Amino acid sequence: MKTISSALELKAYLRNENKTIGYVPTMGALHEGHITLIKEAKKNNEVVVVSIFVNPTQFLAGEDLDKYPRRDEADKKICELAGVDVLFMPQADELYFEDEVKIVAPNVRGYVLEGATRPGHFSGVLRVVMKLLNIVNPTNAYFGKKDAQQLNLIELMIKQYFMDVNIVPVDTVRDADGLALSSRNVYLSKEQRQEALKIPKSLYEASKMVSRGIVNVAEIKEQMLKILEPLEIGYVAILSREFEPIDEVVIGESIILVEALVGDTRLLDNIWL
Ligand code: PAF
């Protein structure tokens, strides 16, 4: 595995290779969810590139940028074992410029749900993803369905900016107890982890209701909120796959999303119905 920290060096290296590139952007603290993305990338590309960059522009003031888990050495080993060809580990001062041309999140879709509780977060995500995709220039880029709103906005950016990359959404990986894997799970105490399980339970209950023929959004939401008590809820939303409001769930076309605070840890989860 080749490790490169310079954007221009990576660009030159990949251009010379002239092969299909599968790309997995990450912020490190790699877990089974990331390994699943890498495995997917390995299936359909000649070269697999992973980046590790804890992107400062997607953290709001007072968020966990400084304590975000950083495990470079362990992550390098994981990448090597997973068969990654190139690991890109840039520094912030190389990716960002002082007086910069900025891409920002759309006014509506970028400021609802997670964007409402974290205004500006998605501008930071889109800004770095645009840069990373331009540096790597991949054939396929792999993103987890767990960050459904992020995925939706990236797909929108690719379409609206006529970018030449195929986005591959990959299913959420869960621990045996049902909790969706996230680098932030390390913040949870044993008791908090038990509380956090209310999130996948509420989603599971919602999917059971739908399979019993209950499709009314208000009814499903009410039941989910009961299960989630007493967690502090960011949002429970039942939407179309295009993130439009709906009154009734349509199988194959809907998504249910939850954001809840467990202790100080914000957890996201969703289910694609
Ligand atoms: O999902 C993440 O890990 C990050 O938001 C991403 C896409 C790597 C951008 O920093």
Side-chain angles (χ1 to χ4, degrees):
M1 182 178 78
K2 204 170 165 55
T3 302
I4 298 180
S5 61
S6 151
L8 292 178
E9 189 187 330
L10 180 71
K11 235 174 140 59
Y13 176 78
L14 291 173
R15 203 180 298 125
N16 276 346
E17 288 281 285
N18 203 15
K19 289 182 174 157
T20 53
I21 299 171
Y23 174 44
V24 181
T26 82
M27 297 209 300
L30 302 181
H31 51 63
E32 208 47 49
H34 297 109
I35 295 170
T36 304
L37 297 175
I38 295 169
K39 279 187 189 151
E40 282 303 310
K42 282 194 73 70
K43 277 187 203 163
N44 294 312
N45 303 278
E46 291 163 291
V47 173
V48 171
V49 179
V50 170
S51 62
I52 296 179
F53 177 62
V54 182
N55 172 38
T57 65
Q58 70 189 75
F59 289 80
L60 272 62
E63 287 191 344
D64 58 348
L65 173 62
D66 292 336
K67 69 168 185 138
Y68 196 84
R70 285 168 173 83
R71 302 201 196 112
D72 286 357
E73 288 315 307
D75 286 349
K76 276 185 199 164
K77 287 208 181 84
I78 290 174
C79 286
E80 227 162 71
L81 288 173
V84 171
D85 300 291
V86 183
L87 177 61
F88 178 44
M89 298 182 80
Q91 295 297 317
D93 57 3
E94 204 194 344
L95 285 195
Y96 288 112
F97 300 85
E98 237 170 57
D99 187 21
E100 186 166 295
V101 178
K102 285 195 195 87
I103 176 153
V104 293
N107 284 340
V108 179
R109 277 209 230 183
Y111 289 85
V112 291
L113 306 175
E114 214 194 339
T117 45
R118 305 179 73 196
H121 164 70
F122 287 120
S123 291
V125 171
L126 294 178
R127 209 169 143 195
V128 80
V129 170
M130 169 72 97
K131 282 172 187 276
L132 292 168
L133 290 176
N134 284 337
I135 294 165
V136 177
N137 197 16
T139 322
N140 300 294
Y142 296 78
F143 292 88
K145 286 186 179 177
K146 187 175 92 57
D147 295 309
Q149 193 178 4
Q150 164 175 289
L151 173 61
N152 179 266
L153 289 168
I154 290 169
E155 282 174 334
L156 200 66
M157 177 177 79
I158 302 299
K159 186 173 154 216
Q160 294 182 348
Y161 279 77
F162 304 96
M163 292 166 73
D164 261 339
V165 50
N166 179 42
I167 300 295
V168 186
V170 178
D171 285 343
T172 301
V173 181
R174 295 177 182 281
D175 264 328
D177 59 9
L179 193 67
L181 295 192
S182 160
S183 303
R184 290 196 165 98
N185 290 354
V186 295
Y187 301 152
L188 300 172
S189 67
K190 229 173 163 184
E191 294 72 30
Q192 285 172 339
R193 195 180 165 98
Q194 283 309 307
E195 280 294 283
L197 292 180
K198 289 180 176 163
I199 300 170
K201 267 188 206 142
S202 72
L203 289 166
Y204 180 60
E205 177 59 27
S207 80
K208 274 201 319 201
M209 287 175 83
V210 174
S211 59
R212 288 203 307 269
I214 304 166
V215 291
N216 182 277
V217 162
E219 208 175 322
I220 298 170
K221 244 175 155 173
E222 193 185 319
Q223 184 59 21
M224 289 180 72
L225 287 169
K226 271 190 205 150
I227 295 171
L228 288 163
E229 263 170 31
L231 294 182
E232 190 181 319
I233 309 298
Y235 53 80
V236 172
I238 305 181
L239 303 170
S240 74
R241 297 262 178 104
E242 288 73 42
F243 278 66
E244 303 290 346
I246 50 172
D247 294 324
E248 291 194 343
V249 166
V250 180
I251 293 176
E253 294 179 15
S254 309
I255 182 166
I256 307 185
L257 306 105
V258 177
E259 185 204 69
L261 205 67
V262 182
D264 289 333
T265 308
R266 242 177 5 83
L267 295 176
L268 301 182
D269 203 350
N270 59 62
I271 188 164
W272 299 47
L273 292 165

